[in-house]
């Protein structure tokens, strides 16, 4: 194991790597080195501007992929972020080759991650219902947009949701596995958190389609509004009609779900506004 220190920030790697290129972007104030993706991420300050820099090529401590695979994957994410550009998606600013690697530069968002593995998870769940409705609306609108662009959302879970408790803004990040239709399950168990995954994401040869994303959005509702994977009404914080709508979205059989994200979105909003 190798310990590195850049601008007073310490992190660990499996092997030596040249990070001199980071000085072009400013001063490192944060590092995120414990992901299993093979990426090393930095918060960098230049004047009064912050940036989020994601680097592939360094042998990270917890990586479950080779450095070559991490580089290839990071390169492939660039077109996804560009295609799906949206006010609720973290903005990609730059991308380029570096010595023995690749980097992408994103806007810095002063928010907390909703991921269950973070301390902010419980704080997020404790938000007033109206504020969580607003967050969920942003998530739905982004996925309607992704669907219109021909993409299927893969590996979406609470770790992809960021929230600024001061500005009350929401951002979506880490969409690297989103893919153009058609998407066929060639893996068996696909990437992702099982709390959010449809049955077909565990079944080799099944098509992952818009109805799979309806399931994902329903599962997201249960994570936000109570019940989690158990999907129990006893834990549900919103009204019974919304519970019934979310429950239909997570039906085991595709044909029993809403057949489009738009259909689900309309049913959900009507239940909130009181329209029939």
């Amino acid at each position: 194991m190798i310990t590195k220190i850049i601008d007073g920030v310490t992190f660990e790697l499996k092997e030596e790597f040249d990070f001199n290129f980071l000085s072009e972007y400013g001063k490192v104030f944060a590092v995120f080195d414990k992901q299993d993706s093979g990426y090393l991420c930095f918060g960098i300050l230049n004047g009064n501007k912050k940036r989020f820099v994601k680097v592939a090529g360094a042998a990270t401590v917890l990586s479950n992929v080779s450095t070559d695979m991490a580089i290839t994957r990071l390169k492939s994410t660039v077109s996804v972020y560009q295609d799906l550009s949206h006010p609720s998606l973290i903005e990609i600013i730059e991308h380029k080759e570096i010595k023995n690697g690749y980097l992408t530069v994103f806007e810095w968002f002063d928010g907390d991650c909703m991921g269950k593995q973070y301390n902010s998870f419980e704080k997020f769940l404790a938000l007033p219902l109206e504020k969580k409705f607003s967050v969920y609306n942003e998530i739905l609108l982004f996925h309607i947009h992704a669907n219109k662009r021909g993409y299927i959302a893969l590996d979406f879970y609470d770790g992809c949701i960021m929230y600024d408790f001061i500005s009350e803004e929401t951002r979506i990040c880490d969409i690297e596995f989103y893919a153009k239709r058609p998407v066929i399950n060639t893996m068996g168990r696909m990437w992702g958190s099982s709390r959010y995954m449809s049955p077909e994401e565990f079944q080799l040869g099944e098509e992952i389609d818009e109805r799979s994303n309806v399931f994902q959005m329903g599962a997201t509702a249960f994570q936000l509004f109570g019940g989690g994977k158990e999907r129990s009404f006893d834990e549900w914080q919103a009204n019974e009609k919304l519970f019934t709508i979310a429950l239909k979205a997570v039906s085991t059989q595709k044909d029993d779900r809403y057949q489009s994200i738009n259909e689900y979105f309309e049913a959900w909003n009507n239940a909130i506004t009181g329209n029939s």
Side-chain angles (χ1 to χ4, degrees):
M1 208 70 66
I2 294 170
T3 299
K4 300 281 287 184
I5 303 175
I6 302 178
D7 297 329
V9 178
T10 303
F11 58 96
E12 293 184 328
L13 291 174
K14 291 179 183 175
E15 301 169 8
E16 189 60 60
F17 193 81
D18 182 2
F19 290 100
N20 287 334
F21 61 89
L22 287 177
S23 61
E24 301 172 28
Y25 296 94
K27 183 177 180 180
V28 173
F29 66 86
V31 65
F32 307 91
D33 61 343
K34 297 298 190 288
Q35 297 91 334
D36 60 6
S37 61
Y39 304 144
L40 193 62
C41 303
F42 298 91
I44 298 184
L45 180 65
N46 191 338
N48 62 355
K49 281 193 172 180
K50 292 178 179 179
R51 293 287 185 252
F52 183 79
V53 178
K54 188 177 287 190
V55 178
T60 58
V61 174
L62 298 180
S63 176
N64 60 13
V65 298
S66 68
T67 54
D68 286 345
M69 176 60 75
I71 292 168
T72 299
R73 187 178 287 170
L74 188 58
K75 286 180 178 179
S76 73
T77 67
V78 172
S79 62
V80 179
Y81 277 93
Q82 291 173 336
D83 284 354
L84 295 181
S85 176
H86 186 272
S88 294
L89 179 66
I90 292 289
E91 180 187 2
I92 187 167
I93 297 167
E94 183 185 346
H95 57 95
K96 70 177 185 180
E97 301 269 358
I98 55 173
K99 183 180 178 182
N100 299 319
Y102 199 79
L103 69 76
T104 51
V105 181
F106 295 86
E107 68 164 319
W108 177 270
F109 180 67
D110 272 320
D112 292 292
C113 183
M114 185 194 149
K116 200 172 183 180
Q117 67 271 42
Y118 298 104
N119 293 333
S120 51
F121 179 70
E122 294 298 332
K123 182 181 176 184
F124 187 88
L125 293 185
L127 281 172
L129 196 57
E130 290 304 316
K131 290 185 179 180
K132 288 201 286 188
F133 279 148
S134 178
V135 171
Y136 189 53
N137 190 64
E138 291 294 319
I139 293 167
L140 290 175
L141 287 175
F142 173 73
H143 285 93
I144 287 171
H145 164 72
N147 182 65
K148 285 180 180 175
R149 298 287 297 164
Y151 279 81
I152 296 298
L154 300 172
D155 194 26
F156 177 81
Y157 73 116
D158 40 37
C160 302
I161 306 164
M162 298 184 72
Y163 183 74
D164 187 329
F165 288 89
I166 297 173
S167 69
E168 299 182 355
E169 291 182 280
T170 303
R171 288 290 187 282
I172 292 168
C173 60
D174 290 342
I175 60 167
E176 65 178 61
F177 287 110
Y178 284 39
K180 283 274 195 179
R181 291 189 295 261
V183 176
I184 304 298
N185 183 344
T186 59
M187 300 171 61
R189 190 205 190 281
M190 298 184 73
W191 312 281
S193 165
S194 60
R195 292 174 292 131
Y196 288 77
M197 294 167 68
S198 61
E200 54 269 26
E201 290 176 84
F202 295 89
Q203 297 166 2
L204 188 67
E206 288 293 310
E207 182 176 2
I208 313 303
D209 60 21
E210 189 174 353
R211 293 170 295 177
S212 307
N213 283 171
V214 167
F215 184 103
Q216 191 180 73
M217 294 298 100
T220 303
F222 279 106
Q223 291 298 320
L224 280 175
F225 303 109
K229 198 173 178 181
E230 298 302 318
R231 292 153 195 166
S232 162
F233 184 64
D234 290 340
E235 303 291 330
W236 185 254
Q237 298 168 1
N239 66 44
E240 187 173 357
K241 192 166 186 180
L242 289 172
F243 175 81
T244 303
I245 290 167
L247 197 62
K248 178 177 178 178
V250 296
S251 296
T252 303
Q253 299 299 319
K254 281 184 178 181
D255 289 344
D256 294 334
R257 302 172 200 161
Y258 295 95
Q259 297 302 289
S260 71
I261 296 179
N262 276 327
E263 185 186 358
Y264 173 69
F265 180 69
E266 183 177 357
W268 181 269
N269 274 351
N270 285 343
I272 289 177
T273 61
N275 295 329
S276 57

